[in-house]
Structures are given as C-alpha cells and as structure tokens.
Amino acid sequence: MRVSVCHCLDCQKRSGSSFAAQARFPIEQTTVNGESKQWSRGEATFSFCPECGSTVFYHARPFREMVAVAIGAFAEPEFPSPYYSVYEARKHAWVEIMGDGIEHYE
C-alpha cells in the first residue's frame, strides 16, 4: 500500500538508527510464518525474530488495517523508494530523503 520512512523518536529508538523504513501491506493479504516475539508500546505491537532480534513487522495506529514490514527484512537493494517521509521535524540534520514524488511531512 505504501513505502515510507519515519523519523519519530520512537522509531529511532526501536530501529537503533536515525529513522525507520517500512512497507505497508493490507493485513488480509499477509501471512506470517515462523516464530516471532512481540513487544508493545502504546498503540503499536512490534514483532521480532526470536533468533537475531531484528524487527520483522509491526501493527501501529492509525493504520491497524495494515501490516508494516521493515524494508531491511527484504534484503533487496532494489526495493522501491519511499513515497512518504514523516516526522521530519525530528529528522537528524545530516539525513536527506530524496527522490521524485516523495511527500515530506513535519
């Protein structure tokens, strides 16, 4: 449904990076195989690989009808670029999200 990056402080802490990048898919079109461990904070539930601890997917407000999958989980350098960059007021000064047609939100 969309590919985005988020610069909010929660995503920075959760990802261990300066922003988080994710692809969102309709929940009814996704299937989860294998084990995962969950951690919730506020209105978000994050699912991690129990072996390596990597974020694999999560559900968060206000997009409960979608599953967000961390782009790094695809291990695909040619993955489509983001359409949205959100919480840019919290973006690190040295980060620049570039590309044609990307919407930027404070």
Side-chain angles (χ1 to χ4, degrees), residues 11-90:
C11 279
Q12 290 181 33
K13 290 175 188 174
R14 178 189 53 77
S15 69
S17 187
S18 53
F19 59 88
Q22 58 276 324
R24 295 182 190 269
F25 299 93
I27 197 166
E28 68 274 359
Q29 293 179 10
T30 59
T31 302
V32 176
N33 294 314
E35 289 186 49
S36 63
K37 298 286 184 178
Q38 283 69 43
W39 177 76
S40 294
R41 181 176 183 174
E43 296 184 47
T45 300
F46 302 94
S47 296
F48 299 85
C49 172
E51 297 296 319
C52 71
S54 296
T55 300
V56 180
F57 64 95
Y58 63 93
H59 301 87
R61 63 166 170 75
F63 304 108
R64 290 284 182 196
E65 74 281 2
M66 292 187 251
V67 173
V69 179
I71 289 176
F74 292 99
E76 176 55 55
E78 298 300 317
F79 201 86
S81 63
Y83 305 110
Y84 301 92
S85 179
V86 299
Y87 291 104
E88 288 194 339
R90 296 174 180 95

